[in-house]
Amino acid sequence: MTTADHPRRRPTTAVWALLVAIATGLLAWVRIGSPARGVAWAEDSGRFLTDRLALGPVRSVWHPYDGYLHVLPRLVVDAAVALGRIDLYALSVSAMSCAVLGAVCGTVFVLARGVVRAWPLRVLLAAVPALVPLAPVEIAGTAANLHWYLLFAAPWLLAHRPRSWWSSAWTAVAVAVVTTSEIQAAVFLPLLLLGRRQRRVIPVAAVAVLGVAAQVTAALTHPRSATHRGGITSFRDMTAGFVAQVVGGSGNADVRAVGASVAAHGWWVVTVPAVLLVVAVVAALVLADWRTRWMLLAVSVGAGVVWYAALIVNRTPGTTWSSFTAAAWASTAPLRYAAASSMFLTAAVVLVADVLLARARWSWRAAGGVLVAASLVAFVAGGGAVPLREHGPQWSAEIEHRASYCAAHPGDTVRVGAMPRIAGWDATVPCAMVERAVGR
């Protein structure tokens, strides 16, 4: 039999998922940029690293912070410390965080195959965490914000119906990681009912409930600190912020520019796209099959829950968007909640496009094509977002600068700078670790 007689083998789903994971992880790494990759961000230095050095590799992983468990972010920090090169700590955390993002994208690519018909749209859906314009500003490449990416994977994991016990096992492990790293995954627990008649869903459901229970226990025993001084934002302001930062930010990461357009031309520049998107989602909910309908509803609700819940819980100051003047818009900054909400909103757009493109009528298919084109344009136009930590202190340089002090005081500790430049985010590192890193 000749080679031509053999049927041509196609790449398996696992191979495609691996390619998606590698491509999206690298894309996130590139989008962050060289300066920002070497800067430690917030909890990555001032909390997670500090706890790791004080509590050790086991106790620190399960140590609640601000009312929650952060298992995977702490494991990333633990791995970065275990490398033994404290001078490469920030770079290692950035690399591993991008790898986790890629793993999330690859997972969504696999789990969405029963929902998204067109494989190019499945690739687009899976790549959303790496492509949304707001991602590099704060959440990409940081362990402190990995929970947002895990939350993006949550509805797909909880709605998954394993076809084997092996599939059930890895899904349960993934769900354990998600629920012990992000308490908001509890919002998607009802999706477990989609597989209520399958025995292989039982381990997944049990792990999900236990993970959420662990988060609730952490919240009750280690309540959030009362450091948030702002009042609860009104519903009107939260909605105004949603259409400006989430809807507008999904097309342009420069929310100052979005605000300038609102100040110059009125709120219609962001409310019209928001209303059209709502209409498209409602139409797709009517036209879709039951499984796609549930997932579309989940990501749409997720976009709102992430935004409104975050503002209410954190009492974020300076969020009176509905009354912003041009000067107020000029001094505003994108919130990390907007980036997370934008991922769900963009996923909803992709799902709607898939539903419309599958219809026979040309008008529906044309509308689906417009949504895909708009998403691609937004990704390309918003690809130049500047990370907030871009101009922060380079971690490796900070370590090098303190090497001479540590050589003279080997039993002491040194403070290493991070971003943002506010009290509490710098790390205290033993001189012994500094000396090992610089080879003294």
Side-chain angles (χ1 to χ4, degrees), residues 41 43-44 48 70-77 92-104 129 138-153 177-178 181-182 336 340 343:
W41 179 257
E43 286 89 353
D44 292 359
F48 295 156
H70 303 265
V71 169
L72 184 60
R74 289 186 181 276
L75 285 174
V76 167
V77 168
S92 300
V93 169
S94 293
M96 286 185 277
S97 297
C98 288
V100 171
L101 181 152
V104 167
E138 182 173 354
I139 70 173
T142 67
N145 290 290
L146 277 181
H147 61 102
W148 297 121
Y149 295 111
L150 299 180
L151 185 63
F152 183 77
V177 171
V178 169
S181 302
E182 173 53 90
R336 59 187 178 277
M343 289 192 294

Side-chain angles (χ1 to χ4, degrees), residues 22-37 94 98 130 136 140-141 383-385 387 390:
I22 294 173
T24 52
L26 288 175
L27 177 59
W29 175 262
V30 170
R31 290 190 69 195
I32 295 168
S34 178
R37 291 194 290 257
S94 293
C98 288
E390 184 177 51

Side-chain angles (χ1 to χ4, degrees), residues 347-367:
V349 171
V350 177
L351 289 178
V352 169
D354 184 66
V355 170
L356 298 182
L357 287 170
R359 307 301 295 180
R361 292 180 58 179
W362 70 267
S363 55
W364 290 120
R365 298 175 70 179

Side-chain angles (χ1 to χ4, degrees), residues 11-264:
T12 64
T13 300
V15 171
W16 282 115
L18 180 61
L19 293 174
V20 168
I22 294 173
T24 52
L26 288 175
L27 177 59
W29 175 262
V30 170
R31 290 190 69 195
I32 295 168
S34 178
R37 291 194 290 257
V39 179
W41 179 257
E43 286 89 353
D44 292 359
S45 57
R47 175 56 63 177
F48 295 156
L49 178 58
T50 300
D51 288 347
R52 166 61 180 82
L53 297 177
L55 302 175
V58 178
R59 287 179 58 201
S60 63
V61 169
W62 294 99
H63 185 67
Y65 161 61
D66 220 8
Y68 309 124
L69 295 174
H70 303 265
V71 169
L72 184 60
R74 289 186 181 276
L75 285 174
V76 167
V77 168
D78 192 20
V81 172
L83 292 175
R85 290 288 302 272
I86 196 63
D87 57 324
L88 299 179
Y89 172 75
L91 202 62
S92 300
V93 169
S94 293
M96 286 185 277
S97 297
C98 288
V100 171
L101 181 152
V104 167
C105 294
T107 299
V108 171
F109 175 80
V110 173
L111 300 182
R113 60 185 170 182
V115 176
V116 181
R117 299 169 182 82
W119 73 264
L121 288 184
R122 186 149 57 99
V123 172
L124 184 62
L125 172 70
V128 161
L131 290 172
V132 288
L134 287 167
V137 176
E138 182 173 354
I139 70 173
T142 67
N145 290 290
L146 277 181
H147 61 102
W148 297 121
Y149 295 111
L150 299 180
L151 185 63
F152 183 77
W156 300 98
L157 286 165
L158 294 172
H160 179 54
R161 292 177 293 179
R163 298 179 181 179
S164 68
W165 285 108
W166 282 112
S167 177
S168 176
W170 80 257
T171 304
V173 170
V175 167
V177 171
V178 169
T179 54
T180 55
S181 302
E182 173 53 90
I183 192 171
Q184 293 180 94
V187 172
F188 301 112
L189 287 180
L191 291 173
L192 288 167
L193 297 175
L194 296 179
R196 64 188 181 278
R197 297 181 181 178
Q198 292 189 348
R199 290 184 302 164
R200 288 187 290 269
V201 175
I202 295 175
V204 178
V207 167
V209 172
L210 288 174
V212 171
Q215 288 283 13
V216 172
T217 301
L220 295 176
T221 57
H222 296 76
R224 291 173 62 84
S225 59
T227 57
H228 306 290
R229 299 178 181 176
I232 296 180
T233 307
S234 70
F235 180 78
R236 178 184 177 184
D237 282 323
M238 288 190 287
T239 303
F242 183 89
V243 295
Q245 289 231 355
V246 179
V247 178
S250 294
N252 186 356
D254 186 359
V255 295
R256 292 182 179 88
V258 174
S261 296
V262 171

